[in-house]
Amino acid sequence: MYFSSMISVVILGAGNVAHHLYKAFSASKAVKVKQWYNRHLKTIETFKNEVAITDNLSELTKADIYIIAVSDDAITDLSKRLPFEDRLVVHTSGSATAYDLDKKNRRGVFYPLQTFSKAADIDFSQVPICLESLRKTDYALLKSVATAITTITKRVNSDQRAALHLAAVFVNNFTNQLYRVAHEITEAEGAEFDLLKPLIIETANKVQDLSPFKAQTGPAKRNDKKTIKKHLKLLKSEHHKDLYKLLTALIQDTHGR
Amino acid sequence: MYFSSMISVVILGAGNVAHHLYKAFSASKAVKVKQWYNRHLKTIETFKNEVAITDNLSELTKADIYIIAVSDDAITDLSKRLPFEDRLVVHTSGSATAYDLDKKNRRGVFYPLQTFSKAADIDFSQVPICLESLRKTDYALLKSVATAITTITKRVNSDQRAALHLAAVFVNNFTNQLYRVAHEITEAEGAEFDLLKPLIIETANKVQDLSPFKAQTGPAKRNDKKTIKKHLKLLKSEHHKDLYKLLTALIQDTHGR
């Protein structure tokens, strides 16, 4: 049934995830975005010639699947206000559960594990989409929709999704903050942060094939006390010193120093 | 003078940097490795048909430049034992200074800012080489040798190099440890670390064009207290909780929360 015609989708919300999903679905032959809802029509007005847009929930059209891509706090309320029941409704959050959706509809999760900015283009075919459906029979449809835009889909339960979301904070938000610290350190000496960019790429590339455990190098792993002492002396910010000590201790714990 | 014939180089040491330098020079048309020294001949024995090898400092041949690629602690001693004077001798360390080399020779630094493993191939043309020479007149030669293998060369002073080396620990060693923490978090729930790999790449890619400040996203930056609380509850290790709190505070400091 799903394969004979296009799967119809309604997107609800207009943040970064919603925009990137809309774009990916629009480029796909297997899924059609039938309608795009947002409480502020203005945010999606530029798309009115491509897709039906609305700011009125009572105008929502019939579709195979409704994808709620709003902030975590707004998911439950929006799902309660949907004027229909027994349809498949999913959210895109990494940390909310499927039970955060109102139970009058069939529920699931459609979580694209990636960082989205309006400015940066994303190759969606390389974005893992983590799927969950409360009813077994809904999974096939969910998977078809995901497969239409990515090559990486994965069924995960809520605990696994929560772990992935938390881990994502470490590899993305926290890693980016380490880049920021490096930026501050180099700036303070008039050195170029740009010189670190190939190293940043290589660090990310290395763990595509090697485990982070095996990829580890540096003074902490070598227990090079002289360099560690030198570095701590160079750091001016107490926060940065604390961070250096904590991560050094963690590397040494991990590697049995 | 340097451009009319090949620049001759002697490499001293046989660690990862020495191996990668040897390989890069061998592929270059402007530089010839005349000799490779290591105190253990066995480590470089496989190269004996390509290059003169020796474990005897008194056998060192005449060359335009001697590149000492040994551990920081061994640099001074090795430079003292060189049986010649007034030649150009450099080390490849990020944290040692040019003054750590014995003053009987002309001194400099040839610091490739990258992480090197024996297993992983590196495109040396994208490795920034940070250069320093104590005598101004040696700089041109140093730069010619660097330019033979990379497109990115930069003159830096010792303070700048120390800052870059420290910053490199943050973007490489510490970032890799964050990947390791993420690995532990996902493993504990039976989730796949592999699903994070595209995010790891995108995080590194993003700061190639955007500053880390502008690239920042996530619950800490949004001051999403509910998610932060949820995450802290999920973390089992006290070290990981400390790390989460410290990096969250640092992001909030940076972004004025």
Side-chain angles (χ1 to χ4, degrees):
Chain A
M1 166 198 172
Y2 314 131
F3 303 97
S4 58
S5 64
M6 283 176 101
I7 305 169
S8 59
V9 160
V10 170
I11 296 175
L12 300 101
N16 292 339
V17 175
H19 272 88
H20 282 276
L21 278 179
Y22 173 74
K23 220 176 144 185
F25 285 135
S26 298
S28 135
K29 278 172 189 141
V31 170
K32 182 181 169 53
V33 181
K34 250 179 129 176
Q35 199 179 26
W36 193 350
Y37 160 89
N38 196 47
R39 63 188 162 140
H40 306 299
L41 209 55
K42 221 175 163 180
T43 325
I44 50 175
E45 215 171 33
T46 46
F47 300 94
K48 68 179 174 193
N49 295 327
E50 302 172 23
V51 60
I53 61 171
T54 181
D55 60 356
N56 187 344
L57 288 174
S58 70
E59 282 177 6
L60 283 184
T61 189
K62 188 150 189 174
D64 295 318
I65 178 166
Y66 298 79
I67 302 181
I68 298 185
V70 300
S71 66
D72 285 14
D73 285 347
I75 291 171
T76 301
D77 179 57
L78 180 55
S79 74
K80 276 185 183 151
R81 289 164 52 225
L82 294 176
F84 48 74
E85 51 189 54
D86 205 33
R87 298 187 194 168
L88 183 56
V89 176
V90 298
H91 67 64
T92 58
S93 162
S95 64
T97 76
Y99 298 99
D100 289 324
L101 294 165
D102 191 275
K103 66 173 182 239
K104 70 184 171 189
N105 281 295
R106 286 142 47 213
R107 296 171 283 180
V109 181
F110 191 92
Y111 169 48
L113 206 179
Q114 186 50 281
T115 172
F116 297 101
S117 311
K118 248 163 211 153
D121 267 339
I122 281 277
D123 174 7
F124 223 105
S125 71
Q126 296 308 308
V127 174
I129 302 186
C130 301
L131 302 172
E132 184 178 353
S133 68
L134 292 192
R135 281 205 210 164
K136 262 190 183 169
T137 46
D138 287 327
Y139 188 73
L141 174 59
L142 219 51
K143 181 152 180 174
S144 301
V145 176
T147 309
I149 54 175
T150 183
T151 56
I152 316 164
T153 65
K154 183 79 194 164
R155 189 175 210 152
V156 296
N157 63 38
S158 288
D159 288 346
Q160 290 169 334
R161 186 158 36 80
L164 285 166
H165 186 254
L166 171 58
V169 166
F170 277 85
V171 304
N172 171 247
N173 306 155
F174 291 169
T175 287
N176 189 71
Q177 182 60 22
L178 292 186
Y179 300 161
R180 172 68 192 166
V181 171
H183 198 199
E184 288 176 18
I185 291 168
T186 48
E187 261 187 342
E189 285 297 343
E192 282 178 41
F193 175 73
D194 278 9
L195 292 170
L196 295 164
K197 289 181 176 176
L199 178 59
I200 286 172
I201 292 291
E202 176 62 15
T203 305
N205 278 339
K206 230 172 163 181
V207 292
Q208 303 296 309
D209 303 316
L210 234 53
S211 73
F213 182 85
K214 281 194 181 153
Q216 195 59 267
T217 58
K221 194 198 162 190
R222 286 196 311 273
N223 198 21
D224 175 350
K225 291 189 184 112
K226 219 168 134 185
T227 302
I228 293 169
K229 210 175 147 188
K230 215 183 261 185
H231 282 169
L232 283 170
K233 214 177 143 189
L234 276 175
L235 287 167
K236 277 132 206 166
S237 146
E238 283 305 315
H239 279 320
H240 293 178
K241 270 191 216 292
D242 288 345
L243 192 55
Y244 190 103
K245 282 181 199 162
L246 190 52
L247 281 159
T248 295
L250 217 49
I251 292 171
Q252 297 191 328
D253 279 359
T254 306
H255 292 272
R257 286 288 182 175
Chain B
M1 165 199 172
Y2 312 132
F3 302 98
S4 58
S5 64
M6 283 176 101
I7 304 169
S8 59
V9 161
V10 170
I11 295 175
L12 300 101
N16 292 338
V17 174
H19 272 89
H20 282 277
L21 278 178
Y22 172 74
K23 221 176 143 185
F25 285 135
S26 297
S28 135
K29 278 172 189 141
V31 170
K32 183 183 167 55
V33 181
K34 250 180 130 174
Q35 199 179 27
W36 194 350
Y37 160 88
N38 195 47
R39 62 189 163 137
H40 306 298
L41 210 54
K42 220 175 164 180
T43 325
I44 50 175
E45 216 171 32
T46 45
F47 300 93
K48 69 178 174 193
N49 295 327
E50 302 172 23
V51 61
I53 62 172
T54 181
D55 59 357
N56 188 343
L57 288 173
S58 70
E59 283 177 3
L60 283 184
T61 188
K62 187 149 190 177
D64 295 317
I65 177 165
Y66 297 80
I67 302 180
I68 298 185
V70 301
S71 66
D72 286 13
D73 285 346
I75 292 171
T76 302
D77 179 59
L78 181 56
S79 75
K80 277 185 183 151
R81 288 162 52 224
L82 294 176
F84 49 74
E85 50 190 53
D86 205 32
R87 299 188 191 166
L88 183 56
V89 175
V90 298
H91 67 65
T92 58
S93 163
S95 64
T97 77
Y99 298 99
D100 290 324
L101 294 164
D102 191 276
K103 65 173 184 239
K104 69 184 170 190
N105 281 296
R106 286 143 46 213
R107 296 171 284 180
V109 181
F110 191 92
Y111 168 48
L113 206 179
Q114 186 51 279
T115 172
F116 298 100
S117 311
K118 249 163 210 155
D121 267 341
I122 282 276
D123 175 7
F124 223 105
S125 70
Q126 295 309 307
V127 175
I129 301 185
C130 302
L131 302 172
E132 184 178 354
S133 68
L134 292 193
R135 281 204 209 166
K136 263 191 182 168
T137 45
D138 287 327
Y139 188 75
L141 174 57
L142 219 50
K143 181 152 180 174
S144 301
V145 176
T147 308
I149 53 174
T150 183
T151 56
I152 317 162
T153 66
K154 182 81 195 163
R155 188 176 211 152
V156 296
N157 63 37
S158 288
D159 288 344
Q160 289 168 334
R161 186 159 35 80
L164 285 166
H165 186 255
L166 172 58
V169 166
F170 278 86
V171 304
N172 173 246
N173 307 157
F174 290 169
T175 286
N176 188 71
Q177 183 60 22
L178 293 186
Y179 300 161
R180 172 68 192 165
V181 172
H183 198 198
E184 288 175 18
I185 291 168
T186 48
E187 262 186 344
E189 286 297 342
E192 281 177 42
F193 176 73
D194 278 9
L195 293 170
L196 296 164
K197 289 180 176 176
L199 178 60
I200 286 172
I201 292 291
E202 176 63 15
T203 305
N205 278 338
K206 231 171 161 182
V207 293
Q208 303 296 309
D209 304 316
L210 233 54
S211 74
F213 182 84
K214 281 195 182 154
Q216 196 58 267
T217 58
K221 194 198 162 191
R222 286 195 310 273
N223 198 22
D224 174 351
K225 289 188 185 114
K226 219 167 131 186
T227 301
I228 293 170
K229 212 175 144 187
K230 214 184 263 186
H231 282 169
L232 283 170
K233 215 177 141 190
L234 275 175
L235 287 166
K236 278 133 207 166
S237 145
E238 283 306 315
H239 279 321
H240 294 177
K241 270 191 217 290
D242 287 347
L243 192 56
Y244 190 101
K245 283 181 200 161
L246 191 51
L247 282 159
T248 295
L250 216 50
I251 292 171
Q252 298 191 327
D253 278 0
T254 306
H255 292 271
R257 288 288 182 173

